[in-house]
Amino acid sequence: MGITIAILLGFICAMIQYYKVPILKRVVSVYIELSRNTPLLVQLFFIYYGLPKIGIQTNAEICGIAGLAFLGGSYMAEAFRSGLEAVDSIQTESALSLGMSNYQTMAYVVLPQAISVSIPAFMANIIFLMKETSVFSAISLMDLMFTAKDLIGLYYKTTESLFLLVVFYLIILLPISILGSLLERRLRHAGFGS
Amino acid sequence: MLDLGLEVLSKGNNMLRLLGGLWVALKISLLSVGISIALGILLGALMTWKNPVTKAILRVYLEFIRIMPQLVLLFLVYFGTTKAFGWDLTGEMAAIIVFVLWGTAEMSDLVRGALISIPRHQYESSEALGLTREQIYFYIIIPQALRRLIPLSINLITRMIKTTSLILMIGVVEILKVAQQIIEANRMSSPNAAFGIYLTVFILYFIACWPISMIAKHLERKWR
Amino acid sequence: MAEPILALKNVTKHFGENTVLDDIDLSVHQGEVIVIVGPSGCGKSTLLRCVNALEPIQGGEIYLNDEKIDIKSKKLANLRQKIGMVFQSYELFPHLTVLENIVLAPTKVQKRKKEEVQQEALALLGRVGLLGKEGSYARQLSGGQKQRVAIVRALCMHPEILLFDEVTAALDPEMVREVLDVMLNLAAQGRTMIIVTHEMQFAKAVADRIIFLDGGKVLEDTKPEVFFEAPKTERARQFLSMFEFNVVKSQVEKVSS
């Protein structure tokens, strides 16, 4: 959920930067710098404990989603942006010279290429965000980490619960990681270009 | 007027305490980065060797560390070692161990990437010029690899600093912990402290990381 | 004489301090083949890019059939459909097959029927000797093949005028011919074309008019026989002598004897 919003947010931000929308462009780059240069945990604490004090109510889940979207958005934006930059500007020109509108050029020519370029960075970001979810236990979200901590507290079976925790994470993350590197290899192999 | 709870900052030495917390975080990350870079360069160079056994071992190590969330690693080292070997590590010690393990893995991958990114014909053309093996590395390969490496390793530093926010979970008194303590202590007198204090922490982290990423970005652009 | 298809009036273009095109006047009539030659950096390619409004101009006007080409105009996409352009670096879309490359713009921009366009595309591919390649991707083709596809892609939009920007400059010598042959064919069909090229033999063979551009100015605008046999300006003579080797050779012989 948080990741989906992050992707959307990233996409919008990248588009704004690509088309150099006057004021929004500034806003986006401030946002990207802010979110990339502060830890997720601090962002979450601020959203969860800080915001309610000035009247913005959140619960753990919304807070988690918002935090993930806030952090992930900037990473996804960077991934998209580098993908867009990788498409040569003369490709755009040749599409324009065929009489395509700006929208058609983006939809049929630039985006398909940009997305395939940014897939590896994309996968890396998703893995990164999944890993960051472990941070959520800090704000009492029912997360794997949290359950594990509970179990340690309840039964003093540290080793077992830790082991389980590690196994769970591997189950979730390994397939994504493997898929990511496979995709990356395939793309590089079938690399576009002349 | 909305009470933002910022006045707590000026109370007593609260701001100083926060900065002290930040210093703990920075100290741990800088120490770990130093060790990681040294070990990472060594391992990274090893990874470009042809020996399949070393390659496989390093690969497994890298993938394992990369896939595990740092928080899990922190718990493993902090609680796990106590349980398994009866060691009694301080939180700071455990944090440094984890960050070194993680940093070394990341760094070695960066080094490997930088080394293999140098095209083959760079080696070949230097050989054709009659340079010796050492000369090729010293004059041709290492300068080029460094240019690719330095911005990436600077980025690693900011990632480390950001990750240090996790170590409050294993009981190290760093900036977030200090923030919590201050908020606790002032619960009665200024209930809105959470907003102001966490905002300050947020900004402090930004101030610590942002210049470093700017340097990395600048170098990357300059050396492209 | 009939009205020109394309007319440039006092066109001026700067890149910062540099004046790249300096007060260019040029008119192109139906069926004319114009070849623009000149030293590197003389503004040849920029001129073509300005005609297609890929670069803004700072002064003057460009008209296509009495319609002004303006980079801010809403009808720009409409005008560009009437101008086909082929680039030096082919610029096929790498994520599409040859056929998809050709069919994309006619179906999406002109909203023509897919079957009809596909048939036309296949017929045109046949004419340039590429039948059977319609399912390939750009990376599977040679440079010469890619460039021929790019030409077909431009033709399929039924443009009124074709612009060729050094289309053989990136090709291996043995592939240059196959692309030039396609262009000679188009000229023979009476297409209106503006060609920027460094192939002087080809220029001589294909051109109705040669434009010699230097320093952003039109120095000569004349028939090919005149330009190649008796250029009027010193600059043009110098330029043409760069393609001659007999002078150097005779000097070498002198030295060695």
Side-chain angles (χ1 to χ4, degrees):
Chain A
M1 179 67 190
I3 293 176
T4 319
I5 299 178
I7 293 174
L8 275 177
L9 190 63
F11 182 72
I12 295 169
C13 289
M15 280 297 161
I16 289 174
Q17 288 204 317
Y18 185 76
Y19 283 118
K20 303 197 168 59
V21 182
I23 299 159
L24 284 179
K25 188 187 85 184
R26 281 286 166 78
V27 177
V28 167
S29 60
V30 168
Y31 154 65
I32 288 179
E33 292 301 335
L34 267 181
S35 96
R36 286 189 68 115
N37 286 299
T38 50
L40 176 63
L41 191 60
V42 175
Q43 291 169 11
L44 288 177
F45 270 40
F46 182 65
I47 297 175
Y48 191 63
Y49 296 114
L51 287 186
K53 303 292 180 195
I54 57 164
I56 302 168
Q57 283 303 330
T58 47
N59 64 34
E61 216 174 324
I62 292 179
C63 164
I65 292 173
L68 208 54
F70 183 78
L71 180 78
S74 66
Y75 281 84
M76 293 298 180
E78 294 283 281
F80 271 122
R81 195 181 52 90
S82 62
L84 287 172
E85 274 173 9
V87 181
D88 215 326
S89 65
I90 196 167
Q91 278 275 322
T92 316
E93 289 176 355
S94 74
L96 288 176
S97 76
L98 284 168
M100 292 193 205
S101 65
N102 281 332
Y103 164 75
Q104 286 168 330
T105 304
M106 182 48 82
Y108 302 124
V109 177
V110 179
L111 264 190
Q113 295 181 53
I115 285 174
S116 65
V117 172
S118 46
I119 276 179
F122 227 81
M123 284 320 228
N125 283 344
I126 290 178
I127 293 176
F128 166 75
L129 290 176
M130 304 261 313
K131 280 165 75 174
E132 293 287 311
T133 52
S134 64
V135 165
F136 289 0
S137 63
I139 56 162
S140 76
L141 198 69
M142 277 301 285
D143 179 50
L144 285 171
M145 200 70 227
F146 189 64
T147 325
K149 236 173 133 187
D150 254 12
L151 288 178
I152 295 175
L154 271 179
Y155 306 110
Y156 296 102
K157 291 201 169 156
T158 320
T159 334
E160 286 86 341
S161 37
L162 277 176
F163 179 71
L164 275 180
L165 174 69
V166 174
V167 168
F168 271 128
Y169 261 108
L170 286 181
I171 290 173
I172 300 177
L173 289 170
L174 262 185
I176 300 181
S177 177
I178 292 169
L179 190 73
S181 54
L182 276 180
L183 268 177
E184 192 183 343
R185 221 157 286 164
R186 217 183 84 92
L187 279 173
R188 207 182 298 147
H189 193 67
F192 293 142
S194 32
Chain B
M1 176 66 198
L2 203 56
D3 178 15
L4 297 180
L6 282 169
E7 75 287 348
V8 184
L9 276 181
S10 48
K11 223 185 266 175
N13 54 359
N14 281 348
M15 192 66 201
L16 273 179
R17 284 178 62 203
L18 274 181
L19 286 175
L22 184 67
W23 171 238
V24 172
L26 287 181
K27 195 177 67 187
I28 289 178
S29 42
L30 290 181
L31 205 62
S32 318
V33 163
I35 305 174
S36 305
I37 288 180
L39 285 176
I41 289 175
L42 202 70
L43 288 192
L46 279 182
M47 278 167 111
T48 57
W49 282 14
K50 298 279 182 287
N51 188 336
V53 182
T54 26
K55 231 178 177 170
I57 294 174
L58 290 172
R59 197 77 226 157
V60 169
Y61 164 66
L62 179 69
E63 289 298 326
F64 180 77
I65 300 281
R66 273 225 160 143
I67 280 181
M68 296 309 285
Q70 283 92 39
L71 190 53
V72 177
L73 288 176
L74 279 174
F75 275 102
L76 264 182
V77 171
Y78 187 60
F79 297 113
T81 51
T82 322
K83 197 78 185 173
F85 313 111
W87 297 351
D88 189 15
L89 293 174
T90 64
E92 279 189 40
M93 201 54 215
I96 291 175
I97 292 177
V98 168
F99 284 134
V100 166
L101 278 176
W102 173 56
T104 307
E106 293 282 351
M107 193 63 201
S108 67
D109 200 41
L110 295 182
V111 171
R112 188 186 63 96
L115 282 178
I116 61 171
S117 74
I118 304 210
R120 267 211 74 75
H121 48 251
Q122 284 282 324
Y123 291 86
E124 286 163 2
S125 62
S126 356
E127 265 173 37
L129 285 170
L131 295 175
T132 66
R133 236 186 116 67
E134 292 75 42
Q135 284 170 331
I136 293 177
Y137 270 94
F138 195 74
Y139 293 113
I140 314 290
I141 306 303
I142 293 177
Q144 291 187 56
L146 270 187
R147 288 187 162 210
R148 287 167 214 222
L149 198 55
I150 287 173
L152 296 172
S153 10
I154 295 177
N155 273 332
L156 186 63
I157 300 177
T158 63
R159 276 164 68 198
M160 284 242 181
I161 296 177
K162 283 187 285 176
T163 317
T164 51
S165 64
L166 294 181
I167 59 181
L168 99 146
M169 309 281 282
I170 56 169
V172 178
V173 184
E174 48 67 80
I175 180 164
L176 258 184
K177 189 78 199 168
V178 175
Q180 281 180 337
Q181 288 168 351
I182 294 175
I183 292 162
E184 276 307 302
N186 294 288
R187 168 150 293 183
M188 292 301 145
S189 60
S190 90
N192 281 352
F195 181 84
I197 298 291
Y198 283 134
L199 184 65
T200 315
V201 174
F202 186 85
I203 293 169
L204 282 178
Y205 262 110
F206 181 70
I207 293 173
C209 294
W210 192 60
I212 305 180
S213 0
M214 282 293 112
I215 295 173
K217 217 177 223 175
H218 173 76
L219 289 180
E220 220 169 306
R221 218 166 277 162
K222 196 171 132 197
W223 283 343
R224 183 140 40 170
Chain C
M1 215 177 206
E3 279 291 294
I5 292 193
L6 182 79
L8 281 72
K9 290 179 183 154
N10 310 101
V11 170
T12 307
K13 159 95 195 153
H14 313 283
F15 282 126
E17 299 277 281
N18 274 351
T19 303
V20 194
L21 296 178
D22 190 0
D23 200 18
I24 302 266
D25 277 304
L26 176 66
S27 42
V28 183
H29 295 269
Q30 177 70 43
E32 243 185 333
V33 177
I34 301 213
V35 174
I36 305 179
V37 298
S40 318
C42 71
K44 309 177 296 254
S45 295
T46 312
L47 183 66
L48 290 193
R49 292 168 58 83
C50 289
V51 169
N52 216 347
L54 294 172
E55 301 276 354
I57 51 176
Q58 276 79 39
E61 281 146 354
I62 303 176
Y63 291 94
L64 182 74
N65 293 332
D66 293 331
E67 249 186 293
K68 190 174 170 191
I69 296 179
D70 181 356
I71 206 155
K72 291 184 210 83
S73 154
K74 288 237 162 60
K75 289 193 297 191
L76 185 60
N78 247 324
L79 281 169
R80 277 179 175 151
Q81 290 174 40
K82 298 179 188 159
I83 306 172
M85 182 152 180
V86 185
F87 295 83
Q88 176 181 339
S89 45
Y90 339 118
E91 299 310 320
L92 296 187
F93 305 131
H95 57 296
L96 303 176
T97 63
V98 165
L99 192 62
E100 286 166 344
N101 255 286
I102 302 170
V103 170
L104 179 69
T107 51
K108 300 293 179 194
V109 178
Q110 297 177 327
K111 312 278 180 220
R112 282 154 61 192
K113 277 220 184 62
K114 197 166 180 184
E115 297 74 42
E116 175 232 315
V117 182
Q118 277 182 345
Q119 281 199 342
E120 185 185 349
L122 289 173
L124 284 167
L125 280 175
R127 292 251 291 272
V128 300
L130 285 177
L131 212 55
K133 293 286 184 193
E134 60 273 7
S136 311
Y137 286 91
R139 59 177 177 277
Q140 297 162 323
L141 301 179
S142 74
Q145 291 172 329
K146 275 186 265 197
Q147 199 56 289
R148 283 181 280 161
V149 173
I151 294 174
V152 170
R153 183 174 71 179
L155 283 178
C156 224
M157 291 294 286
H158 303 154
E160 295 178 21
I161 183 166
L162 283 163
L163 312 178
F164 294 87
D165 187 6
E166 298 195 33
V167 290
T168 57
L171 296 178
D172 289 340
E174 68 267 28
M175 292 171 185
V176 169
R177 189 58 200 253
E178 60 191 48
V179 174
L180 295 185
D181 279 343
V182 170
M183 290 162 70
L184 283 168
N185 247 318
L186 292 173
Q189 290 164 30
R191 298 258 182 192
T192 315
M193 313 202 275
I194 303 181
I195 302 169
V196 167
T197 185
H198 285 295
E199 303 282 338
M200 290 304 144
Q201 295 300 322
F202 168 68
K204 207 188 272 186
V206 79
D208 294 321
R209 260 162 73 202
I210 300 265
I211 307 276
F212 176 64
L213 210 60
D214 190 23
K217 284 192 165 75
V218 177
L219 293 192
E220 308 220 6
D221 177 352
T222 159
K223 294 214 168 301
E225 308 84 86
V226 180
F227 178 73
F228 287 105
E229 304 310 326
K232 278 179 291 206
T233 57
E234 181 56 26
R235 291 289 300 144
R237 258 191 296 278
Q238 270 179 8
F239 174 72
L240 285 171
S241 73
M242 292 192 303
F243 296 89
E244 309 279 342
F245 289 93
N246 33 15
V247 183
V248 185
K249 207 171 172 191
S250 63
Q251 278 171 350
V252 172
E253 275 161 7
K254 230 178 271 167
V255 171
S256 57
S257 63

